[in-house]
Every structure is written in structure tokens, then in C-alpha cells.
Amino acid sequence: MTTPAPEPRFFQPVPLDKAYRLINHGPTVLVSSAHAGEVNVMSAAWACALDFSPPKVTVVIDKATRTRALVEGSGTFALCVPSVGLAALTLGVGTDSALTVPDKLARHGVKTFHAPGHEAVPLVEGCVAWLVCRLMPEPHNQTTYDLFIGEVVGAWADERVFRAGRWHFDGAPDHLRTLHYVAGGQFYATGASLQVGSG
Amino acid sequence: MTTPAPEPRFFQPVPLDKAYRLINHGPTVLVSSAHAGEVNVMSAAWACALDFSPPKVTVVIDKATRTRALVEGSGTFALCVPSVGLAALTLGVGTDSALTVPDKLARHGVKTFHAPGHEAVPLVEGCVAWLVCRLMPEPHNQTTYDLFIGEVVGAWADERVFRAGRWHFDGAPDHLRTLHYVAGGQFYATGASLQVGSG
């Protein structure tokens, strides 16, 4: 189901040279993609920044996933950063596959929208950051390691928790903290901020 | 400076099929390496699990680092997972390069030890987890993306915070929580545990 974009303060553009900071702290992400009218979302703990400028990311997408066909077919995907309020959704779309549970998005309450100018890529509603990526085809990595590389071509964040190039979880509701998956349904929320030196 | 291994309870072997869980939640790591008598340690926010079994990891090691020459020369490295108590050390070894600050390890109080059977790889004292990795040479990735792939051949953790295949930060001192780097000296500690479903 595609819904209107979130209201602007929940979906502020992030300069591309700061996009790496949306995932630098290692949150679990949702990988969203669409191809030939089919939309899918899976969770991925194995996503990582790869470069600053132009920003690039890596993400592991198993051969057994439906998302893989959509990413390879469309040449594009997004990393959406869910928060504590989406923990059950994140576990659900990481557990169920669209190959065996065709209604997995509806079942887990996933709603998607599009960023202006990026209509080919669905973004997951209720996340706190989004990175739209253009697949940089690397057949050897994809085949051998299930490893995909993307160049970030658009980034946005919820200004309640990310503004001026930094996360600001302290002072925001705890349900907006990002998630770090371990295993067996267990996550950690992003915790206390520490500043070393003068910043 | 090489010191004796930590006492056993602070350095318990982790089964290799659970090694990915040491970094699945996206902590910032220290990359330690040695070659031809030279030891170095750098921090890396861009390290990530790549496979379960045999476990593999990715880590970005810039061409400007001294660590890169040691990893390429020795064909081995370790990812050491620092905790809050090592935040200043982690920032320090990520800021200073051994190329311009030859005494960077001493300056930042870094002490290393070796795991039994893995004498070629220094491990950083005071961390809460360690993954010894054998470099899987991928020249295209290394040259084009500064991206290195390693197979984990040994893993250990501090049983105060990791035991029975899981992190257990709740109930342990907060200085043993792992770190997630943002930028400019700012880190987040790993926060509250959330369990979705029955686990």
C-alpha cells in the first residue's frame, strides 16, 4: 500500500555528504525495493557504510530472498532505518519471505511511500531515516558473497532525532531510538550519548 | 607492548557459528594487525558481518592507513570490540595514524596480547570481544572500495557481557557496553534490550 509522504518535519533531506551518519552507528535497517509492480521489504542487520562522498553502502541480500530479484531487476533499493516503535515489524519482515508469505507487508503493517523524484523506490513509513541507493553492479560480490553495493542518491531523516548532521536521541521519545538486532527476536536500542573530547 | 592474555572469564572462546553475533548489533571495532614486527590498531565504524558459517566479515580499511599495509602483508587481522571504558582510546587510534604518530599505541594506552594458537595477530586488551580473521584476498574490492573480507577463524568474548551466544549488557557495569560511533568524538553506547516475541 502506498501512502502520501510523511509531513515535512518527519522527512527532512539530509545532505549526501552526511548520509553515512544515518547508518554509521550500525543500526539494523529495512531494505525496500520494487520491480515490475511488486514491492517488498526485508530487514538486514548486515548493512554498512562504505564511502563518504559520493556515499556508498554495502548490504547483504541472500539468494533466498524475494528482495534480491527486485533489487537486481530494478537496479535500485533503499535502506530505511526503523526505530523501537517498529521492532515487531522489523522482526516480521525479516522472518517472513514474500516467496512463501505473499501478503507479508500487509501482515506486518508495512506502509510505503515515495520520495519526490525517486518514484521507483518505496520507502517504509514510520522509519527515522531513509537512504535511496542506486545499485552498483558487482556480479562477483553478489554471486559469491550475496554482497551488494549501492551509491546513495538521496537521503532523508526525521528531524525529531536527526538534524544538523547528527542523531539527537536524547530528549526525544525513546520509541524513536534506532535498533540493533542480535538474534532470536532480541534487539538493543541505541543508548546513551558519549562525547569524547570537544567534538 | 604485549601483555599476557586476560584471565579466562574475560576471554572465553565463542563458537564460530555464533561469532557473527559479536558484531551483529553494529558496534564500532578496533582493527588490529601485525607484520614484520610492527603492530598497529585503528578504529573502524565500517565493519560488518558477511556470513554465518563459515563466518565472514567485511571491513573498510582506507589506503591512507598503516593498518592496510600490515593486513595486506600478513594476510590476517582481528576485529576487537571496545566498550565504553575504551571510548577515548577508540577515538584516539581512529584519529592518529601510525604513519605520522609512530607511538600512537603507547600514546593512547593500547596494550595487546595474543590468543593461544593465533600468535600472528595482536588483540587489544580491555575489549569485550575479539574476532581473529584470515584475509580473503579480493584485489578488486580492496583497490576500488577499500573493502576487505575476512573469514573468522577464532572468536572470544568477555563472559561478563557475552555468554551462551548472546550479549547480556543489562545487569553488567555500564562501562562494558559496546560503542557505536557517529562523528566528531560522539558515540552512542549500546542501550536497552528489547525482546520481540518469545525469542
Side-chain angles (χ1 to χ4, degrees):
Chain A
M1 165 177 1
T2 295
T3 62
E7 59 172 287
R9 69 193 176 108
F10 301 157
F11 190 69
Q12 281 291 308
V14 172
L16 285 181
D17 67 345
K18 297 291 189 296
Y20 78 94
R21 295 188 183 177
L22 299 173
I23 59 168
N24 206 68
H25 64 302
T28 295
V29 300
L30 304 174
V31 183
S32 54
S33 58
H35 184 56
E38 183 178 350
V39 172
N40 203 2
V41 176
M42 61 171 257
S43 52
W46 297 356
C48 194
L50 177 66
D51 207 348
F52 295 104
S53 185
K56 298 186 190 76
V57 298
T58 55
V59 58
V60 177
I61 304 176
D62 195 84
K63 292 177 184 69
T65 66
R66 182 64 191 155
T67 289
R68 182 157 172 153
L70 304 189
V71 172
E72 292 186 327
S74 66
T76 186
F77 63 92
L79 302 184
C80 309
V81 183
S83 60
V84 165
L86 295 187
L89 180 157
T90 301
L91 184 67
V93 299
T95 304
D96 288 342
S97 170
L99 294 170
T100 49
V101 184
D103 66 339
K104 73 178 260 192
L105 299 192
R107 182 178 295 209
H108 296 292
V110 177
K111 295 178 184 174
T112 61
F113 66 96
H114 298 118
H118 298 274
E119 281 71 18
V121 191
L123 302 177
V124 178
E125 196 177 292
C127 285
V128 291
W130 301 263
L131 301 93
V132 169
C133 303
R134 181 180 62 79
L135 178 65
M136 302 179 69
E138 288 284 358
H140 171 67
N141 285 335
Q142 294 167 210
T143 303
T144 308
Y145 300 112
D146 299 334
L147 180 67
F148 289 72
I149 295 177
E151 179 181 342
V152 182
V153 296
W156 299 264
D158 183 328
E159 72 174 17
R160 289 175 295 176
V161 284
F162 189 92
R163 52 188 182 273
R166 292 285 187 93
W167 289 102
H168 296 273
F169 296 116
D170 296 351
D174 278 344
H175 72 85
L176 295 177
R177 289 179 180 268
T178 48
L179 292 166
H180 305 264
Y181 191 59
V182 181
Q186 191 207 357
F187 296 85
Y188 284 100
T190 306
S193 180
L194 280 87
Q195 180 66 49
V196 178
S198 57
Chain B
M1 164 177 3
T2 295
T3 63
E7 59 173 287
R9 69 193 176 108
F10 300 156
F11 190 69
Q12 280 292 309
V14 172
L16 286 181
D17 67 346
K18 297 290 189 297
Y20 77 94
R21 295 189 183 177
L22 299 173
I23 58 168
N24 206 68
H25 64 304
T28 295
V29 301
L30 304 174
V31 183
S32 54
S33 58
H35 185 56
E38 182 178 350
V39 172
N40 204 2
V41 176
M42 61 171 257
S43 52
W46 298 355
C48 194
L50 177 65
D51 207 349
F52 294 104
S53 184
K56 298 187 190 76
V57 299
T58 55
V59 58
V60 177
I61 305 176
D62 195 84
K63 292 176 184 69
T65 66
R66 182 64 190 154
T67 290
R68 183 157 172 154
L70 305 188
V71 171
E72 292 185 326
S74 67
T76 185
F77 62 92
L79 302 184
C80 310
V81 184
S83 61
V84 165
L86 295 187
L89 180 156
T90 301
L91 184 67
V93 300
T95 304
D96 288 342
S97 170
L99 294 170
T100 50
V101 184
D103 66 339
K104 72 177 261 193
L105 298 192
R107 183 178 294 206
H108 296 293
V110 177
K111 296 178 183 173
T112 60
F113 65 97
H114 298 118
H118 298 275
E119 280 70 19
V121 191
L123 302 178
V124 178
E125 194 177 293
C127 286
V128 291
W130 301 264
L131 301 94
V132 169
C133 302
R134 180 180 62 79
L135 178 65
M136 301 180 69
E138 287 285 357
H140 171 69
N141 286 334
Q142 295 169 206
T143 303
T144 308
Y145 300 113
D146 299 335
L147 180 68
F148 289 71
I149 295 176
E151 179 181 340
V152 182
V153 296
W156 298 264
D158 183 328
E159 73 174 16
R160 290 175 294 176
V161 285
F162 190 92
R163 53 188 181 272
R166 293 286 187 94
W167 289 103
H168 296 273
F169 296 116
D170 295 352
D174 278 343
H175 72 85
L176 295 177
R177 289 178 181 269
T178 49
L179 293 166
H180 305 264
Y181 191 58
V182 182
Q186 191 206 356
F187 296 86
Y188 284 100
T190 306
S193 180
L194 280 86
Q195 179 67 49
V196 177
S198 56

